[in-house]
Amino acid sequence: MSGNLFNLTPENLADEHLCCIIRSHKRHPGVEAKRQWLSARLPEGHVFRKLDQRATVFIEYAPLETAWVPVVGDKYLYIYCLWVLRDQRNRGYGRALMEHCVADALTQGRSGVCMLGAVKQRAWLSDQSFARHFGFEIVDTAGDYELLALSFDGTKPHFTEAAKRQTIDSQDLTVFYSPQCPYIHQTVETIRQYCAERAVPLSIIPVDSLKKAKALPGPFNNFALFYRGKFQTVNLIDTGTLGRILAKND
């Protein structure tokens, strides 16, 4: 590795880029929303560890008890995102980031580490095959989505029952989102504009508390889309994908 990895802290958060969307001057609303969200999460044990260069190399994880996902379990860490962009791969960064997370869990006396995976819709999720090299295994499922875990003591986290139902009462296109990912803002605005132009009924529901996140009616990492009362995806989508979802379910 040619660079050093370090954690964001309350002291350096305002001055560091957040890896996903790197801006030099112009402020980005998604980045600023993420920065504000992180400032409240870091005291809860949330970890954002990154490379000391202008590059997309980072891992983000939190104690499962305070992770904004509909997953529960005792004494686990939950990985939101582990991302090494292609131009930085094969330098040992991914392994170093995962090893740090696993070591952190062991040091804290936790039961293991878990993360979200999927059978088909793998975009916007961390590399499951990479995680399996470290011993992660499928411990629960919710439709086409999987919960992968590396257990130290044989215990297993699991999706909530609400997440497994994957249904809501509303027939409208419905978006649940948190500020955890900097790309959320532009995705939500794209969906909002698309639906306004086509008179598609739309409900946008901010997930702005841990309680709301744990009670979500489907798998979630930071975004979830429902239509006709049924869960569709956790992927951040473009207008082409949205059009196909609407056509398929109408």
Side-chain angles (χ1 to χ4, degrees):
M1 296 189 299
S2 59
N4 296 313
L5 299 167
F6 69 101
N7 291 0
L8 292 183
T9 67
E11 292 73 28
N12 65 21
L13 176 59
D15 301 320
E16 294 291 338
H17 71 75
L18 299 184
C19 294
C20 298
I21 300 175
I22 302 174
R23 291 293 183 91
S24 297
H25 302 292
K26 186 177 180 181
R27 292 165 68 89
H28 187 286
V31 171
E32 297 313 311
K34 170 62 178 282
R35 201 182 301 277
Q36 184 176 0
W37 185 83
L38 263 180
S39 69
R41 305 283 79 75
L42 292 178
E44 300 171 350
H46 190 108
V47 172
F48 191 112
R49 187 169 180 80
K50 54 171 283 192
L51 185 65
D52 63 349
Q53 299 175 15
R54 293 181 62 80
T56 302
V57 177
F58 73 99
I59 189 171
E60 188 170 2
Y61 60 88
L64 183 55
E65 298 86 349
T66 57
W68 286 28
V69 291
V71 177
V72 292
D74 293 332
K75 298 174 64 179
Y76 267 78
L77 293 180
Y78 177 85
I79 298 176
Y80 285 102
C81 192
L82 170 56
W83 193 3
V84 177
L85 209 58
R86 284 187 176 85
D87 62 350
Q88 298 293 331
R89 291 178 184 172
N90 300 315
R91 301 183 184 184
Y93 292 133
R95 175 168 291 277
L97 290 167
M98 181 66 88
E99 287 177 347
H100 178 87
C101 176
V102 172
D104 199 3
L106 288 167
T107 298
Q108 294 180 35
R110 293 193 168 270
S111 295
V113 181
C114 61
M115 60 182 277
L116 183 64
V119 176
K120 298 177 181 178
Q121 300 177 339
R122 298 187 177 187
W124 297 98
L125 294 177
S126 299
D127 189 339
Q128 299 152 61
S129 61
F130 179 74
R132 286 190 173 93
H133 287 307
F134 288 84
F136 282 72
E137 299 178 340
I138 298 169
V139 295
D140 200 6
T141 60
D144 287 339
Y145 287 84
E146 302 167 337
L147 184 63
L148 284 76
L150 171 62
S151 178
F152 305 148
D153 60 9
T155 63
K156 298 177 181 179
H158 58 89
F159 289 110
T160 63
E161 289 305 311
K164 291 186 177 185
R165 285 196 294 270
Q166 302 186 56
T167 59
I168 59 176
D169 292 333
S170 175
Q171 297 295 297
D172 293 353
L173 184 71
T174 302
V175 174
F176 294 90
Y177 76 95
S178 79
Q180 189 271 332
C181 174
Y183 287 102
I184 291 287
H185 175 82
Q186 63 196 56
T187 300
V188 171
E189 291 308 307
T190 296
I191 294 172
R192 193 193 307 273
Q193 181 177 349
Y194 182 98
C195 291
E197 292 172 350
R198 293 161 178 80
V200 176
L202 173 66
S203 296
I204 297 178
I205 304 174
V207 178
D208 52 13
S209 72
L210 176 64
K211 182 178 180 180
K212 288 182 181 179
K214 292 297 186 187
L216 283 164
F220 184 85
N221 210 35
N222 47 53
F223 178 90
L225 186 75
F226 288 75
Y227 187 52
R228 298 300 187 201
K230 298 179 180 179
F231 172 77
Q232 302 296 323
T233 185
V234 300
N235 291 355
L236 301 188
I237 59 174
D238 56 20
T239 55
T241 302
L242 178 54
R244 289 190 290 273
I245 289 172
L246 295 174
K248 178 181 178 181
N249 291 276
D250 279 338

